[in-house]
Amino acid sequence: MANNYFDLSGKTALITGASSGLGVHFARVLAQEGAQVVLAARRVNKLEEIVAALRNDGFKADAIEMDVSCPDNVTVAFQQIQQQIGAIDILINNAGVASEPVSFLKVNEKNWNWHMETNLDGAWRVARAASLQMVAAEKPGCIINISSIYGLRTGAMKVAYNVSKAALVQLTKSMSIELCRKNIRVNALCPGWFKTDMNADYFDSESGKRYVQTIPMKRMGQLEDLTVPLLLLASEAGAYMTGATLSVDGGLNEAPV
Ligand SMILES: NC(=O)c1ccc[n+]([C@@H]2O[C@H](COP(=O)([O-])OP(=O)(O)OC[C@H]3O[C@@H](n4cnc5c(N)ncnc54)[C@H](OP(=O)(O)O)[C@@H]3O)[C@@H](O)[C@H]2O)c1
């Protein structure tokens, strides 16, 4: 490429849900482009292992404990980031949960609230704290909400997850029109299926393997498939993008149900 559009030197990026799966990949991708990365999740021991590996490879990385479903915990984590590192420039709002499939008639309060408290309330809370920090620091900012193609179409027996991720798309759009006045871009990345702790058991099963054949590209995503889409939204390459939802799904969003 003629210009280094993806260069993130001098930027600080916070990645929630960085103790496993997509978040680990996102942290490394941003670090490779020069960002100082702050990895957040509840399992601090996992974070510390990942941070040690990043530092060992010469990257600037720190771990911070953050339960996105707990308001006080998020407040304290942002205070620590401000004091120890300074205001962030980029937020990858990635922490999320998904239960085993459950039919609508069997979804109970616990299942519903668990999805909402992390995938929606948690994402809103962290996005709000990050926006306030960026505005106070008078810094341009970038927020990427990790939704899902199930924020755009339905997945069977996933009502609470589907609704939480669809709301995250609307949160993205609503934030984007207000925050562009503050020089903060807000976009959503909507992955299709990528094998992580969240779904590995299913995709190792015969039923999961059959499901993969319904994906138009007839394969699951590889983490590397998310690299350039993430960097497009996180860097100056996407300077005129806000309020967008970017699907990376092998065509699944357009596949007949
Ligand atoms: N994998 C896919 O196919 C796929 C597809 C579409 C969208 N997504 C989305 O991508 C994101 C990452 O998922 P993944 O597949 O990488 O799953 P994963 O490996 O299970 O990772 C989920 C991450 O979220 C964190 N987390 C969960 N609850 C949290 C809480 N209350 N506070 C802070 N962190 C919390 C977990 O860390 P701790 O347990 O240590 O807190 C973990 O780091 C999720 O939002 C998911 O919905 C995934």
Side-chain angles (χ1 to χ4, degrees):
M1 208 177 326
N3 295 306
N4 190 359
Y5 285 112
F6 296 154
D7 182 23
L8 298 175
S9 306
K11 304 285 186 190
T12 300
L14 169 66
I15 305 99
T16 67
S19 61
S20 66
L22 307 188
V24 179
H25 180 67
F26 293 153
R28 182 165 282 272
V29 165
L30 298 175
Q32 282 169 341
E33 292 299 329
Q36 175 169 4
V37 289
V38 183
L39 288 78
R42 294 166 301 182
R43 287 172 295 170
V44 177
N45 56 339
K46 295 278 267 180
L47 290 176
E48 281 171 353
E49 283 171 25
I50 297 157
V51 162
L54 286 166
R55 287 181 176 170
N56 199 36
D57 291 338
F59 301 124
K60 274 192 187 169
D62 290 281
I64 193 134
E65 185 176 2
M66 187 192 292
D67 179 345
V68 302
S69 69
C70 174
D72 290 348
N73 202 284
V74 171
T75 302
V76 169
F78 270 87
Q79 283 167 349
Q80 285 174 350
I81 293 168
Q82 181 70 49
Q83 283 160 10
Q84 293 165 18
I85 296 160
I88 62 166
D89 304 275
I90 299 166
L91 167 66
I92 312 298
N93 211 3
N94 169 71
V97 292
S99 72
E100 293 295 308
V102 47
S103 68
F104 174 71
L105 294 177
K106 291 192 173 161
V107 173
N108 57 23
E109 294 276 345
K110 191 174 169 198
N111 180 278
W112 180 266
N113 290 337
W114 184 62
H115 285 94
M116 296 305 157
E117 283 166 9
T118 302
N119 298 358
L120 178 57
D121 301 354
W124 161 76
R125 183 172 296 121
V126 173
R128 179 174 175 274
S131 304
L132 286 168
Q133 194 177 68
M134 290 166 183
V135 169
E138 298 183 359
K139 274 184 157 188
C142 166
I143 295 174
I144 303 175
N145 292 322
I146 307 302
S147 177
S148 163
I149 52 156
Y150 294 118
L152 305 174
R153 61 171 286 170
T154 52
M157 299 207 293
K158 291 177 160 292
V159 64
Y161 184 82
N162 296 343
V163 171
S164 70
K165 291 296 186 179
L168 193 48
V169 170
Q170 183 58 254
L171 178 70
T172 302
K173 293 178 183 179
S174 302
M175 287 176 65
S176 71
I177 54 169
E178 289 196 37
L179 292 179
C180 62
R181 290 177 218 132
K182 302 287 185 191
N183 214 358
I184 298 172
R185 297 186 298 109
V186 188
N187 293 290
L189 189 59
C190 296
W193 285 111
F194 293 75
K195 196 160 146 184
T196 64
D197 289 354
M198 190 176 269
N199 54 36
D201 288 349
Y202 175 65
F203 284 108
D204 287 339
S205 72
E206 285 310 310
S207 155
K209 287 177 188 155
R210 278 196 301 278
Y211 179 84
V212 171
Q213 294 309 306
T214 68
I215 299 172
M217 286 192 179
K218 303 217 178 294
R219 70 167 176 89
M220 297 189 72
Q222 302 293 317
L223 292 178
E224 198 49 43
D225 295 320
L226 291 168
T227 298
V228 168
L230 182 86
L231 289 174
L232 170 64
L233 298 179
S235 69
E236 280 302 299
Y240 198 52
M241 294 179 75
T242 197
T245 52
L246 185 57
S247 301
V248 183
D249 63 0
L252 188 55
N253 191 34
E254 301 306 329
V257 179

